[in-house]
Amino acid sequence: MKTVTIDVRPLTDTLGDFTKTWKSGKPTAPRISFESPELLFKVLSGKRWELLNAMTGAGAMSIREASRRVERDVKAVHGDVTALLNAGLLSKTDDGMIVFPFDAIHVDFMLKAA
């Protein structure tokens, strides 16, 4: 099963992981990091989670098909797809279809007192 981990951590930690991977040449598990919980929740709104859920395991599809599955306006879903493409959670196929290339999402972050 191909799982992507979404977490909240400083950019320096993310760049450090990149450097270690680059030097070792060994691939690591997919990870998408956000600098703050606010940014994570801005990018991964409730509607976008719903869209990812509808696309999980469904293979490549058009934005129109994704809109139909979540029963939402194509224009609104297009905006969500663009944000999820930019975040690395969705991919485009060579023929312009969109796909959620993972089987699962693991979210990992901790909120603690300042």
Side-chain angles (χ1 to χ4, degrees), residues 4 10 30 33 41 48 52 54-55 58 64 67 94 100 109:
V4 61
S33 298
F41 292 126
R48 292 176 184 161
L52 290 174
M55 293 183 68
R64 185 169 303 282
S67 300
D94 291 338
F100 178 62
F109 69 94

Side-chain angles (χ1 to χ4, degrees), residues 75-91:
K75 185 176 179 181
V77 171
H78 184 274
D80 289 342
V81 164
T82 300
L84 293 170
L85 285 166
N86 290 338
L89 283 162
L90 293 181
S91 299

Side-chain angles (χ1 to χ4, degrees), residues 14-85:
T14 302
L15 293 175
D17 286 352
F18 172 79
T19 302
K20 286 179 194 173
T21 301
W22 181 268
K23 287 180 179 178
S24 73
K26 297 177 184 174
T28 58
R31 177 183 294 268
I32 297 171
S33 298
F34 293 89
E35 188 108 32
S36 68
E38 294 82 11
L39 184 56
L40 181 146
F41 292 126
K42 179 180 178 183
V43 173
L44 295 172
S45 66
K47 296 287 187 185
R48 292 176 184 161
W49 279 112
E50 181 183 348
L51 180 59
L52 290 174
N53 188 47
M55 293 183 68
T56 301
M61 66 182 72
S62 67
I63 293 176
R64 185 169 303 282
E65 173 61 18
S67 300
R68 188 192 64 73
R69 288 176 183 239
V70 294
E71 299 177 349
R72 292 181 50 217
D73 176 71
V74 173
K75 185 176 179 181
V77 171
H78 184 274
D80 289 342
V81 164
T82 300
L84 293 170
L85 285 166

